Amino acid sequence: MSGNATLFEGSLLETAGSASTVALSSGARLSLEASSRGKLFGDRLVLEKGGTRLDNATGFHLEALGLRVQPERGVTSGRVSLEGTRRVRVSAVTGGFRVLNAQGQLVANLAAGSTLAFEPQPGASTATRVTGVLENRNGRFLMTDEVTKVRVEAVGRNLAVETGRRVEVAGLMDAAATPASGASQTVRVLSLRQLPEGGTAPAGQGGAGGTGAPAGAGAGAGAGAATGTIVATVAIVAGVAAAAVLGGLAAAGALPGQGDSVSR
């Protein structure tokens, strides 16, 4: 694509052997990579293949695999790419980005310089597994997930004794509940286990301090550790698995925890 053109709502943008740049009247700028495809609407690009860079995009967002990647206000630039048919990678170059699921629930906050890989979990839109230090705020228990930086309220039994400890919580998001101030969602805790301070939570490993973990995570954790490209800690927030990416490279195959379910 080159020169000026009028693009209609839902216009298909597709590149072959070279990249292409689209400057929108809003000031947003899309740099579609080679061998990429997406549908352009007034306020969004629905990415179907490949990847794109997004600059100066306040009021504009990208969608991929049902996830919505939304820049924060101010000067922002980032990259969104599809890896296979089940994974989306999001990199925040400058400024911050928010990632939401198909229901509009917050999945992750990305600060400048961070990259996360995401895999929506089929049939598990409320499944949640987060890691962080449990805090007691006037009798309500909050934690900020170490991977996604999403702050949640944990609701369950015997949480007071875990205050101040680094824990992994698995449960189900309660969309009907009103979370405590500062939290974006409420999680009904089904299992909890204590973790070493300042360490990395091995995805899906059981421990004496907990009552179990989502099934199936162990094998995925091993695969991630073997490649050394995806950090072992995997969060599942509002039914979407997320893992930090090292060196801009993602491991082949499923994310650790991909396909996990949370059960009693």
Side-chain angles (χ1 to χ4, degrees):
M1 293 178 292
S2 62
N4 298 321
T6 300
L7 298 175
F8 298 97
E9 192 80 353
S11 291
L12 181 66
L13 304 181
E14 188 165 13
T15 58
S18 60
S20 181
T21 298
V22 179
L24 305 179
S25 59
S26 64
R29 186 179 181 89
L30 298 169
S31 299
L32 206 63
E33 299 172 359
S35 301
S36 298
R37 182 178 66 243
K39 288 183 179 178
L40 183 65
F41 297 86
D43 62 347
R44 68 194 185 279
L45 174 74
V46 180
L47 188 65
E48 299 178 345
K49 177 185 175 184
T52 186
R53 182 180 169 110
L54 177 64
D55 296 284
N56 302 324
T58 299
F60 192 87
H61 67 273
L62 272 79
E63 296 179 5
L65 297 185
L67 300 179
R68 174 172 172 155
V69 182
Q70 181 175 298
E72 300 284 9
R73 293 187 178 277
V75 178
T76 56
S77 63
R79 180 178 179 271
V80 179
S81 61
L82 288 168
E83 298 179 346
T85 60
R86 296 193 298 185
R87 181 182 299 169
V88 180
R89 187 190 302 192
V90 181
S91 299
V93 179
T94 58
F97 285 79
R98 292 159 53 90
V99 179
L100 298 89
N101 68 7
Q103 290 73 42
Q105 296 150 342
L106 182 64
V107 169
N109 292 305
L110 279 81
S114 61
T115 298
L116 291 178
F118 299 92
E119 286 186 3
Q121 306 294 285
S125 62
T126 63
T128 299
R129 183 175 72 204
V130 290
T131 299
V133 176
L134 193 65
E135 307 168 23
N136 187 335
R137 292 287 183 265
N138 299 316
R140 302 182 77 167
F141 300 94
L142 289 82
M143 59 190 295
T144 300
D145 179 56
E146 295 173 355
V147 175
T148 64
K149 309 306 179 187
V150 171
R151 191 161 175 80
V152 305
E153 179 180 8
V155 176
R157 295 177 296 176
N158 303 319
L159 294 180
V161 298
E162 306 292 347
T163 299
R165 294 174 176 166
R166 183 171 178 262
V167 298
E168 179 188 83
V169 164
L172 299 175
M173 186 186 68
D174 186 349
T178 301
S181 177
S184 65
Q185 53 196 259
T186 300
V187 176
R188 301 286 176 183
V189 178
L190 301 180
S191 68
L192 180 150
R193 68 188 181 97
Q194 296 177 13
L195 299 173
E197 293 295 329
T200 297
Q205 283 188 0
T211 58
T227 62
T229 52
I230 288 188
V231 174
T233 302
V234 174
I236 303 177
V237 179
V240 179
V245 178
L246 297 177
L249 298 174
L255 286 178
Q258 196 274 331
D260 288 355
S261 61
V262 178
S263 59
R264 294 182 185 274

